[in-house]
Amino acid sequence: MSFQNPVFIPGPTNIPEVLRKAVDMPTLDHRSPLFGQILHPALAGVKTILKSETAEVFIFPASGTGGWETALTNTLSPGDKVLAARNGMFSHRWIDMCQRHELDVEIVETPWGAGISADRYEEILTADKGHQIKAVLATHNETATGVKSDIAAIRRAMDAAGHPAMLFVDGVSSIASIDFRMDEWGVDVAVTGSQKGFMLPAGLAIVGFSPKAMAALGGATLQRTFFDVRDMANGYAANGYPYTPAVGLLNGLKMSVEMLLDEGLENVFARHNRIASGVRAAADAWGLSLCAQSPDLYSDTVSAIRTPEGFNATDVVTHAAEAYGVAFGVGLGDVAGKVFRIGHLGSLTDVMALSGIATAEMVMVDLGLNIKLGSGVAAAQEVYRATVPNAAKAAA
Ligand SMILES: *Cc1c(COP(=O)(O)O)cnc(C)c1O
């Protein structure tokens, strides 16, 4: 018997029934025209979600990490300089990948809980008179700390410095959940994956390349074969792939972008904001603070909640899984044991969020924290009651 609860990890996220069915399909010949009927709408939908008119979208059978590698290896050469901030586990891993590819990374060490400093980027770029820096890296939403950085501000910093570097953005836990504007922000490579905002199983690395990034392909000499976007582009032009595509996942993606665009992107973002506001109200009612240092940084897709000094936050996650069969996220890296994370992205409703908040409360009371049962739930209920979307209100 299976009593399936929703998960509250910040990816992979809950998979709606309609997407599970879309992914589960009989084998089809990926060299037949049928495949193009899946591929092209999926690519077009992703482009709309990236808010881009000009990007070329590529989808690899990989996870988000493969998207990072696609960004780097297609546009850069060994020894190239890149600028990156380290403010959590995901930005750390991307920097590590750069270094393993023998890129020269100028690292802006940033407290875990802070956002990327656009001012610091501007200083460094302004000082780089010879334009040695070829790419600026930014993790839009640091999933380890629940911190959202301001990509528009980074673009303004690059422009103010008059610097021609490309801008690469890790949007794995933001794209399709939080506002993302590829063209307006001048993003040259946007990276995401299938298992977060797109509500699918892991298995697709999704990237958007700007015309400027496409123009960098020819000069880039980092080694690439599997992730070569030129091979992928040639494949797409012939309705296919350079190798065997993950057809079921792509069919799921086609359906996922339809769902997101039917709901309306702005409504999707508003829903994430409402649900996140409820979770934040709950944390506040518990007397716990977020890892994110200030409200402008709060992520609408994941909250990393600090537990009191001397308490091991990982116990919350372990006990929730063992006692109640509910998954929360552990703290990673520098904040391991200090925070637990409530993921609130993808296919989620107020009602589902309330169940997660109620579970976290039971767990913390079980573990002896000084928290009143129902306090966080009540705080979130007030938020949700007060912000029911108009359509739903009218129907009531
Ligand atoms: C999940 C995540 C990744 C890594 O994605 P994988 O699909 O696990 O490779 C990268 N960056 C961020 C911000 C993420 O949240």
Tab-separated table of all heavy atoms in Angstrom, residues 10-11 62-66 68 90-91 93 139-144 170-174 191-196 202-204, ligand 1:
chain	number	residue	atom	x	y	z
A	10	PRO	N	13.064	21.177	-2.625
A	10	PRO	CA	13.090	22.151	-3.730
A	10	PRO	C	13.584	21.493	-5.014
A	10	PRO	O	14.542	21.919	-5.624
A	10	PRO	CB	14.044	23.229	-3.223
A	10	PRO	CG	14.954	22.501	-2.271
A	10	PRO	CD	14.196	21.357	-1.686
A	11	GLY	N	12.969	20.453	-5.403
A	11	GLY	CA	13.287	19.701	-6.604
A	11	GLY	C	13.997	18.411	-6.266
A	11	GLY	O	14.850	18.413	-5.394
A	62	ALA	N	19.883	15.205	-19.839
A	62	ALA	CA	20.834	15.412	-18.733
A	62	ALA	C	20.065	16.096	-17.616
A	62	ALA	O	18.853	16.266	-17.715
A	62	ALA	CB	21.995	16.297	-19.198
A	63	SER	N	20.757	16.493	-16.556
A	63	SER	CA	20.101	17.292	-15.519
A	63	SER	C	20.612	18.724	-15.648
A	63	SER	O	21.405	19.036	-16.548
A	63	SER	CB	20.388	16.708	-14.140
A	63	SER	OG	21.714	16.981	-13.763
A	64	GLY	N	20.186	19.583	-14.750
A	64	GLY	CA	20.585	20.991	-14.806
A	64	GLY	C	22.096	21.176	-14.874
A	64	GLY	O	22.597	22.077	-15.560
A	65	THR	N	22.816	20.310	-14.204
A	65	THR	CA	24.282	20.379	-14.211
A	65	THR	C	24.827	20.275	-15.644
A	65	THR	O	25.797	20.944	-16.003
A	65	THR	CB	24.854	19.250	-13.323
A	65	THR	OG1	24.283	19.392	-12.016
A	65	THR	CG2	26.359	19.311	-13.211
A	66	GLY	N	24.191	19.452	-16.448
A	66	GLY	CA	24.578	19.355	-17.857
A	66	GLY	C	24.327	20.678	-18.582
A	66	GLY	O	25.034	21.017	-19.533
A	68	TRP	N	24.745	23.653	-17.182
A	68	TRP	CA	25.926	24.480	-16.857
A	68	TRP	C	27.064	24.166	-17.826
A	68	TRP	O	27.719	25.050	-18.339
A	68	TRP	CB	26.458	24.150	-15.460
A	68	TRP	CG	25.698	24.601	-14.275
A	68	TRP	CD1	24.748	25.582	-14.210
A	68	TRP	CD2	25.863	24.106	-12.937
A	68	TRP	NE1	24.317	25.718	-12.911
A	68	TRP	CE2	24.978	24.825	-12.109
A	68	TRP	CE3	26.675	23.118	-12.368
A	68	TRP	CZ2	24.876	24.600	-10.729
A	68	TRP	CZ3	26.569	22.892	-10.999
A	68	TRP	CH2	25.685	23.625	-10.187
A	90	PHE	N	24.945	25.773	-4.832
A	90	PHE	CA	24.808	25.624	-6.287
A	90	PHE	C	25.781	26.533	-7.012
A	90	PHE	O	26.432	26.112	-7.977
A	90	PHE	CB	23.350	25.809	-6.707
A	90	PHE	CG	22.522	24.673	-6.190
A	90	PHE	CD1	21.886	24.750	-4.954
A	90	PHE	CD2	22.465	23.472	-6.880
A	90	PHE	CE1	21.175	23.673	-4.441
A	90	PHE	CE2	21.765	22.380	-6.373
A	90	PHE	CZ	21.116	22.493	-5.145
A	91	SER	N	25.922	27.773	-6.541
A	91	SER	CA	26.938	28.650	-7.139
A	91	SER	C	28.324	28.047	-6.907
A	91	SER	O	29.191	28.105	-7.790
A	91	SER	CB	26.831	30.065	-6.574
A	91	SER	OG	26.599	30.062	-5.190
A	93	ARG	N	29.088	24.875	-6.767
A	93	ARG	CA	29.324	23.754	-7.697
A	93	ARG	C	29.579	24.238	-9.128
A	93	ARG	O	30.335	23.614	-9.865
A	93	ARG	CB	28.117	22.808	-7.682
A	93	ARG	CG	28.071	21.969	-6.434
A	93	ARG	CD	27.030	20.859	-6.584
A	93	ARG	NE	26.856	20.179	-5.312
A	93	ARG	CZ	25.699	19.706	-4.866
A	93	ARG	NH1	24.611	19.821	-5.609
A	93	ARG	NH2	25.629	19.092	-3.711
A	139	THR	N	23.764	32.896	-10.228
A	139	THR	CA	22.741	31.925	-9.841
A	139	THR	C	21.521	32.734	-9.416
A	139	THR	O	21.567	33.435	-8.409
A	139	THR	CB	23.263	31.035	-8.692
A	139	THR	OG1	24.429	30.351	-9.171
A	139	THR	CG2	22.218	30.012	-8.260
A	140	HIS	N	20.479	32.680	-10.240
A	140	HIS	CA	19.305	33.535	-10.007
A	140	HIS	C	18.697	33.247	-8.642
A	140	HIS	O	18.425	34.157	-7.867
A	140	HIS	CB	18.283	33.290	-11.125
A	140	HIS	CG	17.113	34.218	-11.106
A	140	HIS	ND1	15.974	33.967	-11.821
A	140	HIS	CD2	16.898	35.396	-10.471
A	140	HIS	CE1	15.108	34.958	-11.625
A	140	HIS	NE2	15.640	35.834	-10.812
A	141	ASN	N	18.490	31.970	-8.376
A	141	ASN	CA	17.862	31.577	-7.122
A	141	ASN	C	18.753	30.522	-6.470
A	141	ASN	O	18.857	29.405	-6.976
A	141	ASN	CB	16.472	31.005	-7.431
A	141	ASN	CG	15.635	30.767	-6.197
A	141	ASN	OD1	15.078	31.694	-5.626
A	141	ASN	ND2	15.550	29.520	-5.766
A	142	GLU	N	19.442	30.909	-5.398
A	142	GLU	CA	20.333	29.960	-4.705
A	142	GLU	C	19.453	29.017	-3.895
A	142	GLU	O	18.924	29.388	-2.844
A	142	GLU	CB	21.286	30.728	-3.801
A	142	GLU	CG	22.736	30.322	-3.774
A	142	GLU	CD	23.163	28.896	-4.074
A	142	GLU	OE1	22.459	27.954	-3.661
A	142	GLU	OE2	24.209	28.713	-4.680
A	143	THR	N	19.315	27.822	-4.374
A	143	THR	CA	18.391	26.866	-3.773
A	143	THR	C	18.857	26.404	-2.392
A	143	THR	O	18.057	25.938	-1.598
A	143	THR	CB	18.241	25.666	-4.729
A	143	THR	OG1	18.149	26.172	-6.066
A	143	THR	CG2	17.009	24.847	-4.428
A	144	ALA	N	20.143	26.549	-2.123
A	144	ALA	CA	20.663	26.113	-0.827
A	144	ALA	C	20.285	27.072	0.294
A	144	ALA	O	20.178	26.666	1.451
A	144	ALA	CB	22.186	25.976	-0.903
A	170	ASP	N	22.089	30.739	-14.050
A	170	ASP	CA	21.515	29.482	-13.580
A	170	ASP	C	20.107	29.807	-13.081
A	170	ASP	O	19.944	30.460	-12.053
A	170	ASP	CB	22.382	28.918	-12.450
A	170	ASP	CG	21.742	27.701	-11.767
A	170	ASP	OD1	20.539	27.441	-11.996
A	170	ASP	OD2	22.442	27.020	-11.002
A	171	GLY	N	19.121	29.347	-13.845
A	171	GLY	CA	17.731	29.568	-13.449
A	171	GLY	C	17.043	28.260	-13.119
A	171	GLY	O	15.837	28.119	-13.288
A	172	VAL	N	17.822	27.280	-12.641
A	172	VAL	CA	17.250	25.941	-12.464
A	172	VAL	C	16.071	25.970	-11.494
A	172	VAL	O	15.057	25.320	-11.734
A	172	VAL	CB	18.318	24.903	-12.023
A	172	VAL	CG1	17.679	23.526	-11.870
A	172	VAL	CG2	19.461	24.825	-13.023
A	173	SER	N	16.192	26.746	-10.410
A	173	SER	CA	15.084	26.762	-9.451
A	173	SER	C	14.275	28.060	-9.529
A	173	SER	O	13.561	28.401	-8.593
A	173	SER	CB	15.597	26.528	-8.031
A	173	SER	OG	16.452	27.574	-7.637
A	174	SER	N	14.391	28.774	-10.639
A	174	SER	CA	13.582	29.988	-10.795
A	174	SER	C	12.732	29.943	-12.054
A	174	SER	O	11.554	30.315	-12.022
A	174	SER	CB	14.478	31.231	-10.806
A	174	SER	OG	15.392	31.206	-11.883
A	191	VAL	N	19.983	28.666	-18.035
A	191	VAL	CA	20.087	27.220	-17.777
A	191	VAL	C	18.957	26.783	-16.851
A	191	VAL	O	18.713	27.410	-15.816
A	191	VAL	CB	21.434	26.896	-17.080
A	191	VAL	CG1	21.509	25.414	-16.718
A	191	VAL	CG2	22.612	27.300	-17.956
A	192	THR	N	18.286	25.702	-17.212
A	192	THR	CA	17.351	25.107	-16.268
A	192	THR	C	17.262	23.594	-16.485
A	192	THR	O	18.042	23.021	-17.235
A	192	THR	CB	15.980	25.824	-16.302
A	192	THR	OG1	15.169	25.329	-15.239
A	192	THR	CG2	15.258	25.642	-17.623
A	193	GLY	N	16.338	22.987	-15.771
A	193	GLY	CA	16.170	21.535	-15.861
A	193	GLY	C	14.696	21.194	-15.794
A	193	GLY	O	13.855	22.064	-15.560
A	194	SER	N	14.375	19.932	-15.997
A	194	SER	CA	12.956	19.553	-16.102
A	194	SER	C	12.274	19.370	-14.748
A	194	SER	O	11.045	19.377	-14.669
A	194	SER	CB	12.838	18.253	-16.908
A	194	SER	OG	13.729	17.258	-16.435
A	195	GLN	N	13.036	19.183	-13.667
A	195	GLN	CA	12.433	18.652	-12.437
A	195	GLN	C	12.074	19.692	-11.377
A	195	GLN	O	11.812	19.350	-10.249
A	195	GLN	CB	13.360	17.594	-11.825
A	195	GLN	CG	14.533	18.109	-11.025
A	195	GLN	CD	15.751	18.445	-11.849
A	195	GLN	OE1	15.647	18.739	-13.031
A	195	GLN	NE2	16.921	18.427	-11.239
A	196	LYS	N	12.072	20.959	-11.752
A	196	LYS	CA	11.700	21.961	-10.746
A	196	LYS	C	10.443	22.683	-11.229
A	196	LYS	O	9.359	22.121	-11.146
A	196	LYS	CB	12.905	22.847	-10.447
A	196	LYS	CG	13.989	21.967	-9.811
A	196	LYS	CD	15.186	22.657	-9.247
A	196	LYS	CE	16.170	21.593	-8.754
A	196	LYS	NZ	17.450	22.127	-8.318
A	202	ALA	N	13.408	14.415	-13.283
A	202	ALA	CA	14.723	14.876	-13.749
A	202	ALA	C	15.051	14.163	-15.049
A	202	ALA	O	14.550	13.071	-15.321
A	202	ALA	CB	15.783	14.567	-12.694
A	203	GLY	N	15.896	14.776	-15.857
A	203	GLY	CA	16.331	14.093	-17.076
A	203	GLY	C	16.513	15.003	-18.275
A	203	GLY	O	17.059	14.588	-19.278
A	204	LEU	N	16.060	16.257	-18.165
A	204	LEU	CA	16.291	17.189	-19.268
A	204	LEU	C	17.065	18.404	-18.763
A	204	LEU	O	16.669	19.023	-17.779
A	204	LEU	CB	14.968	17.679	-19.874
A	204	LEU	CG	14.037	16.628	-20.479
A	204	LEU	CD1	12.750	17.293	-20.978
A	204	LEU	CD2	14.717	15.867	-21.615
B	1	LIG	C1	18.751	21.828	-8.710
B	1	LIG	C2	19.718	22.900	-9.078
B	1	LIG	C3	20.830	22.665	-9.891
B	1	LIG	C4	21.292	21.304	-10.302
B	1	LIG	O1	20.466	20.663	-11.053
B	1	LIG	P1	20.586	19.086	-11.312
B	1	LIG	O2	19.394	18.920	-12.151
B	1	LIG	O3	20.539	18.401	-10.008
B	1	LIG	O4	21.845	18.847	-12.052
B	1	LIG	C5	21.613	23.728	-10.266
B	1	LIG	N1	21.353	24.966	-9.835
B	1	LIG	C6	20.318	25.232	-9.033
B	1	LIG	C7	20.091	26.639	-8.590
B	1	LIG	C8	19.475	24.213	-8.629
B	1	LIG	O5	18.448	24.491	-7.819
